[in-house]
């Protein structure tokens, strides 16, 4: 008998869809099909791979309304923003397709008489992609598309909160006419996923999720035996991303964008702003502007076009964020926003009002850990050096944003900041032309850009003596 699971909407508690978990037999067949498809697909011409990805994006365009609705119902994204994730997914896929031929080309070494020397990039085989619910299409496309362009087959296992994202990927690739077996979907529980991780059919894992999830993936891979004991894993594990507002910043611009970076998607973004350091010379003005901006958000049913702040994805997620805020308040933090002004904010629901806390410090979990909710803490600093020290005082290192009109200062601070990406006067954004990567507990490896292909291929050297 098949096991089933329900997707419960944070919007109204309704069941969005009931899905079947993959049976052991289905999992075994999928793994075998992925291995066979990988052997065929690796021999395909790069032009055919690019064409398949471009056709996939066209199919996704036609599914935009359906995808947007599922985003809203499955994880609470306001409908006015939901279509943007589809646009971003398409843009990333098309960018990676546009650079694939050059990025995957052989590296030809300088001539040495009597020798032919080159490095080719071989596909790894079958790639298992494990994607989360918070940006279900954008996180998946980062690994799925470059893996396919590189000549790998892909198995996508999505969060049990957003399984429809995987189904939309599957249907779009079917419409695109992708060779059977090159892209497949498995809906699995944690136990089944752990078993697949150690299967010899899997040649690489791309995981996006929590630090605990990344540790579980790493531990599972360490238990592998057989001919493919040592395989790679790309780990994108989130962040506790800082912003630093210098005294020369354009405060109105900084306030609007920092608050958006903290509150967009109800703060459920691995690269969202979670802690802010403001130079004491401009702190009062910045805080006033940020509070006014946050108070203008509209908390409510995400199906309403006027809503700009929807619910968190689950009640337990909202409970966790509320607990961090309460603990910070008990330790002396000051709330800058009266949540009573947001009628939809109720402790027994996943609907949470935005909050800005001042008088915070790094002893508070809200500043030291990943909060993943519509709340941000603001600390005053007296210098760039103090800001750098505080920004680096974290187990995470995904992004940092610097708000200033001094490019040289931003570059100097950026060099000293322990993150994978440094922003100046923007935040919470992925440029597919740049490598998406992190340091410390934000993970390892990279996606997007030409660098992203390096982690989905292996180098193979040809050293041919042509004159004997």
């Amino acid at each position: 008998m098949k096991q089933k699971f329900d997707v419960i909407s944070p919007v109204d508690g309704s069941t969005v869809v009931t899905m079947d978990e993959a049976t052991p037999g289905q999992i075994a067949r999928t793994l075998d099909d992925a291995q066979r498809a990988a052997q065929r697909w690796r021999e395909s011409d790069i032009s055919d791979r690019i064409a398949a990805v471009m056709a996939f994006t066209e199919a996704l365009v036609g599914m935009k309304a359906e995808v947007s609705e599922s985003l809203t119902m499955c994880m609470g994204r306001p409908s006015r923003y939901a279509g943007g994730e589809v646009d971003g997914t398409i843009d990333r896929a098309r960018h990676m397709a546009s650079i694939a031929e050059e990025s995957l080309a052989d590296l030809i070494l300088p001539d040495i008489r009597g020798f032919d020397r080159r490095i080719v990039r071989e596909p790894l085989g079958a790639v298992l992609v494990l994607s989360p619910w918070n940006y279900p299409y954008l996180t998946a496309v980062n690994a799925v598309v470059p893996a396919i362009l590189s000549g790998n087959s892909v198995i996508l296992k999505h969060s049990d909160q957003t399984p429809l994202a995987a189904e939309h990927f599957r249907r779009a690739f079917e419409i695109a006419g992708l060779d059977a077996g090159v892209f497949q979907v498995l809906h699995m529980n944690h136990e089944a996923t752990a078993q697949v991780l150690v299967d010899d059919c899997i040649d690489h894992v791309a995981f996006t999720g929590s630090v605990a999830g990344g540790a579980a993936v790493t531990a599972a891979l360490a238990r592998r035996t057989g001919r493919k004991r040592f395989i790679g894993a790309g780990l994108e594990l989130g962040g506790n991303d800082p912003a630093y507002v210098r005294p020369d910043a354009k405060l109105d611009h900084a306030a609007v964008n920092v608050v958006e970076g903290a509150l967009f998607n109800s703060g459920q973004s691995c690269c969202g702003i979670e802690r802010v350091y403001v130079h004491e010379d401009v702190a009062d003005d910045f805080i006033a502007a940020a509070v006014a901006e946050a108070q203008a958000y509209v908390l409510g049913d995400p199906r309403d076009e006027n809503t700009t702040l929807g619910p968190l994805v689950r009640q337990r997620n909202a409970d966790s964020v509320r607990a961090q805020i309460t603990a910070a308040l008990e330790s002396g933090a000051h709330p800058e926003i009266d949540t009573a002004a947001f009628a939809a904010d109720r402790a027994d629901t996943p609907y949470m009002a935005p909050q800005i806390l001042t008088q915070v410090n790094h002893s508070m979990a809200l500043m030291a850990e990943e909060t993943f909710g519509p709340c941000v803490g603001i600390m005053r600093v007296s210098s760039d050096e103090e800001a750098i020290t505080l920004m680096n005082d974290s187990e995470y290192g995904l992004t940092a944003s610097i708000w200033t009109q001094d490019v040289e200062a931003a570059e100097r601070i950026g060099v000293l900041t322990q993150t994978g990406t440094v922003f100046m006067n923007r935040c919470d954004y992925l440029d597919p032309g740049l490598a998406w990567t992190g340091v410390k507990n934000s993970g390892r490896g990279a996606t997007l850009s030409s660098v992203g292909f390096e982690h989905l291929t292996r180098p193979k050297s040809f050293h041919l003596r042509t004159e004997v």
Side-chain angles (χ1 to χ4, degrees):
M1 181 177 177
K2 284 188 176 182
Q3 297 296 313
K4 299 179 181 291
F5 63 95
D6 294 330
V7 176
I8 305 301
S9 175
V11 177
D12 56 9
S14 63
T15 299
V16 180
V17 65
T18 298
M19 304 291 295
D20 290 327
E21 286 186 358
T23 65
Q26 288 172 326
I27 293 172
R29 287 191 295 274
T30 297
L31 293 174
D32 289 343
D33 288 347
Q35 274 294 308
R36 286 193 292 268
Q39 293 303 312
R40 297 192 308 272
W41 192 242
R42 67 181 291 134
E43 302 300 328
S44 64
D45 190 82
I46 186 64
S47 62
D48 293 332
R49 301 176 198 168
I50 293 171
V53 167
M54 295 303 289
F56 159 79
T57 66
E58 290 300 323
L60 208 55
V61 170
M63 298 161 59
K64 183 174 180 178
E66 179 184 345
V67 169
S68 299
E69 182 180 355
S70 72
L71 268 172
T72 296
M73 293 306 297
C74 288
M75 49 82 60
R77 178 84 51 78
S79 59
R80 65 188 294 161
Y81 303 132
E85 180 154 353
V86 182
D87 296 337
T89 299
I90 292 167
D91 287 345
R92 292 184 193 180
R94 288 176 176 172
H95 175 80
M96 296 305 288
S98 74
I99 65 171
E101 186 167 7
E102 180 180 0
S103 298
L104 294 167
D106 294 352
L107 299 176
I108 309 299
L109 275 66
D111 287 342
I112 295 180
R113 182 175 175 179
F115 290 91
D116 177 358
R117 301 177 304 151
R118 64 185 183 276
I119 303 169
V120 302
R121 295 183 174 90
E122 288 192 333
L124 300 174
V127 175
L128 175 65
V129 177
L130 305 175
S131 289
W133 51 264
N134 62 321
Y135 284 93
Y137 298 85
L138 289 172
T139 54
V141 75
N142 288 356
V144 169
V145 162
I148 288 173
L149 289 167
S150 298
N152 301 289
S153 64
V154 171
I155 298 170
L156 174 61
K157 186 274 177 191
H158 224 297
S159 164
D160 59 6
Q161 189 68 33
T162 48
L164 293 179
E167 293 300 324
H168 291 142
F169 267 72
R170 186 205 321 247
R171 191 175 355 139
F173 276 121
E174 287 176 351
I175 294 170
L178 184 67
D179 286 6
V182 174
F183 177 83
Q184 299 178 88
V185 168
L186 283 174
H187 300 295
M188 301 182 289
N189 58 33
H190 290 307
E191 181 181 357
T193 303
Q195 293 173 353
V196 169
L197 285 168
V198 300
D199 195 288
D200 221 29
C201 288
I202 298 299
D203 299 292
H204 184 79
V205 178
F207 172 81
T208 303
S210 67
V211 172
V217 168
T218 302
L221 296 183
R223 295 194 296 269
R224 287 174 64 102
T225 59
R227 295 184 179 182
K228 299 178 182 178
R229 177 176 300 201
F230 304 109
I231 68 169
L235 304 175
E236 200 276 87
L237 306 180
N240 182 21
D241 294 9
Y244 171 39
V245 182
R246 297 185 79 241
D248 67 331
K250 291 186 177 180
L251 293 186
D252 288 344
H253 171 82
V256 169
N257 285 276
V258 168
V259 169
E260 182 182 36
L263 300 185
F264 188 80
N265 205 37
S266 297
Q268 300 168 124
S269 174
C270 58
C271 59
I273 299 299
E274 299 207 10
R275 50 198 174 106
V276 183
Y277 307 100
V278 186
H279 196 279
E280 59 191 9
D281 290 351
V282 295
D284 288 342
D285 289 341
F286 175 82
I287 291 170
V291 169
E293 182 66 24
Q295 288 173 330
Y297 275 69
V298 178
L299 175 67
D301 190 321
R303 293 169 293 189
D304 186 334
E305 276 297 318
N306 294 316
T307 295
T308 55
L309 191 66
L312 273 71
V313 68
R314 302 182 187 96
Q315 180 67 45
R316 67 175 182 268
N317 294 60
D319 292 343
S320 176
V321 177
R322 288 186 172 108
Q324 280 197 8
I325 294 173
T326 298
L329 294 174
E330 291 174 346
S331 296
H334 175 73
E336 296 289 340
I337 294 176
D338 180 5
T339 58
F342 295 83
D345 180 283
R346 285 176 46 193
D348 60 345
T349 75
Y351 288 85
M352 279 191 65
Q355 185 56 273
I356 293 174
L357 298 181
T358 55
Q359 300 177 28
V360 292
N361 59 63
H362 281 209
S363 71
M364 300 173 181
L366 184 128
M367 294 295 285
E369 299 175 9
E370 190 171 32
T371 302
F372 236 57
C375 179
V376 67
I378 300 179
M379 288 181 65
R380 299 167 187 260
V381 297
S382 60
S383 66
D384 291 350
E385 289 68 30
E386 183 181 5
I388 293 167
T389 298
L390 290 168
M391 286 193 287
N392 288 340
D393 182 27
S394 174
E395 67 178 78
Y396 296 98
L398 190 58
T399 80
S401 60
I402 304 160
W403 304 83
T404 179
Q405 297 182 66
D406 187 334
V407 177
E408 290 184 2
E411 291 181 340
R412 176 179 61 83
I413 295 167
V415 167
L416 298 173
T417 303
Q418 299 164 358
T419 60
T421 296
V422 175
F423 294 110
M424 173 181 168
N425 295 330
R426 79 176 312 174
C427 60
D428 194 22
Y429 179 80
L430 273 71
D431 181 337
L434 297 172
W436 187 243
T437 184
V439 300
K440 297 187 279 191
N441 281 349
S442 284
R444 69 180 183 214
T447 58
L448 301 177
S449 79
S450 60
V451 176
F453 288 110
E454 296 176 8
H455 299 270
L456 294 163
T457 58
R458 68 172 60 87
K460 185 172 187 176
S461 295
F462 283 79
H463 192 163
L464 310 179
R465 188 167 192 165
T466 57
E467 295 181 12
V468 179

